[in-house]
Amino acid sequence: MFPNGTASSRRRGEMYKKNRIKQMLDNGELPLGMQCFTGDPTLIEVMGLTGFDWVMLDSEHSGNNPRAMETLIRAADSVGLVSFVRVHQATDEADIHRALEAGAMGVFLPEINSVEDVKAAADAAFYYPKGDRGICPAVRAAHYNPKTFVDYTAWNNNEIMLVPMIENPSGLADLDNIFAHPDVHMAVYAAGDYGFSVGEGMDMLNGTKVNAAYKQVLEAGAKHNVAVIGGPILAADPDSCRQAIEAGVRVFSLGLDSVVFRDACQGMADALDQGAKGTKYKRPAKQDWGFKA
């Protein structure tokens, strides 16, 4: 069994596994994920071993490439994590193909401006009759098997998730149409990106416009039965998680792997600095690596 209670679908003899995030949502469970920027399979394994359910593999802001994605998705599979890939552009057909053919269970679609972007992504993600994706049985997701490729396409059309990211006023303006799209079951409200797009910087939900947009996204999610991904991404604690649940968040994204590791390193260095005070030993002064105002 995997740490999160799932068994290997291949060991059970199943052809293709169900999307566990869809199942969790149907069962009233709260999926937990993290964003991965480092491209480090060890950190991905740690996520699965500590109770995370999914991982978002970034290819918008990081150097992860299509070949590396296969290795990272294999690492996620080994510990029962559901993999999503954030493609660098929502309407990039080849990017979506490569992510799904590597074995991702869905794609995060950045900077959605309207439902037309979602429709373009759906055409790239799904096979006939849902979409217009070209076929290729020689890929990992299809088990490299032409004989079962038709079964794979049916599975793909049932299980793959499209996750639009609401990051700008254009996307917010077409929110109802985006959330009403039949292939949208989960969505992201990116408070940081939205804040920068409306001049509120990194105030996150403390910004007036950002907070108003957040409430609008949650209301639309409830109206269209779309699970909104959120939570206290940079500083999680029980109280802030409960507040997010009560606000309407259905899927949690807590932490960015590089930032989580930085915070852990900073905490250990600070602990020794404090512990050394009052002893005959001293620690060297820290170099200030910050940006100057």
Side-chain angles (χ1 to χ4, degrees):
M1 298 293 286
F2 288 134
N4 53 28
T6 62
S8 167
S9 60
R10 287 178 181 164
R11 288 176 185 170
R12 294 198 307 263
E14 295 177 10
M15 183 66 71
Y16 301 108
K17 58 190 176 183
K18 292 284 189 181
N19 190 321
R20 196 167 70 85
I21 301 306
K22 279 188 173 183
Q23 292 178 318
M24 291 182 72
L25 291 171
D26 289 343
N27 293 334
E29 297 176 313
L30 295 170
L32 170 62
M34 185 182 289
Q35 299 179 39
C36 176
F37 291 84
T38 63
D40 190 320
T42 299
L43 295 181
I44 291 170
E45 287 182 317
V46 170
M47 293 174 205
L49 293 169
T50 52
F52 282 74
D53 305 297
W54 60 273
V55 60
M56 188 213 76
L57 306 171
D58 180 72
S59 67
E60 182 189 14
H61 299 293
S62 68
N64 290 327
N65 58 53
R67 181 61 65 191
M69 284 299 175
E70 285 197 4
T71 298
L72 300 181
I73 292 169
R74 285 188 178 101
D77 286 348
S78 74
V79 287
L81 282 175
V82 175
S83 298
F84 296 92
V85 173
R86 175 162 60 186
V87 294
H88 89 280
Q89 187 175 336
T91 56
D92 190 310
E93 184 176 345
D95 237 21
I96 292 171
H97 287 180
R98 287 192 290 255
L100 299 180
E101 288 168 357
M105 297 292 279
V107 285
F108 279 50
L109 305 170
E111 292 293 347
I112 290 293
N113 292 303
S114 74
V115 71
E116 296 304 315
D117 291 340
V118 178
K119 290 177 181 178
D123 268 347
F126 299 116
Y127 296 101
Y128 177 86
K130 285 183 70 173
D132 192 33
R133 180 171 160 191
I135 73 163
C136 181
V139 296
R140 179 176 183 267
H143 297 180
Y144 319 102
N145 191 349
K147 294 179 181 179
T148 58
F149 190 75
V150 171
D151 295 327
Y152 162 69
T153 63
W155 170 88
N156 177 95
N157 284 1
N158 286 329
E159 301 300 331
I160 292 302
M161 300 180 77
L162 301 180
V163 186
M165 302 184 70
I166 307 303
E167 304 183 87
N168 57 58
S170 296
L172 190 71
D174 203 29
L175 191 61
D176 268 324
N177 289 326
I178 292 168
F179 280 17
H181 190 283
D183 295 309
V184 172
H185 306 287
M186 192 164 75
V188 174
Y189 173 59
D193 286 277
Y194 191 87
F196 265 85
S197 72
V198 296
E200 290 187 344
M202 286 293 288
D203 287 344
M204 304 297 278
L205 295 181
N206 292 319
T208 303
K209 296 175 183 177
V210 172
N211 193 48
Y214 176 57
K215 292 177 180 177
Q216 188 175 338
V217 171
L218 290 171
E219 288 171 2
K223 175 182 175 182
H224 295 284
N225 196 28
V226 170
V228 175
I229 302 173
I233 186 170
L234 297 178
D237 58 55
D239 288 340
S240 57
C241 287
R242 181 178 291 276
Q243 288 170 9
I245 294 169
E246 292 173 348
V249 170
R250 290 286 315 281
V251 180
F252 277 74
S253 176
L254 301 182
L256 296 73
D257 64 346
S258 52
V259 176
V260 169
F261 184 65
R262 185 194 191 283
D263 288 346
C265 291
Q266 187 72 67
M268 287 184 245
D270 290 347
L272 180 56
D273 290 349
Q274 293 296 319
K277 288 181 178 178
T279 74
K280 65 179 181 179
Y281 300 102
K282 62 181 181 180
R283 289 274 297 143
K286 282 191 176 75
Q287 184 167 342
D288 184 2
W289 297 99
F291 292 97
K292 301 298 183 184

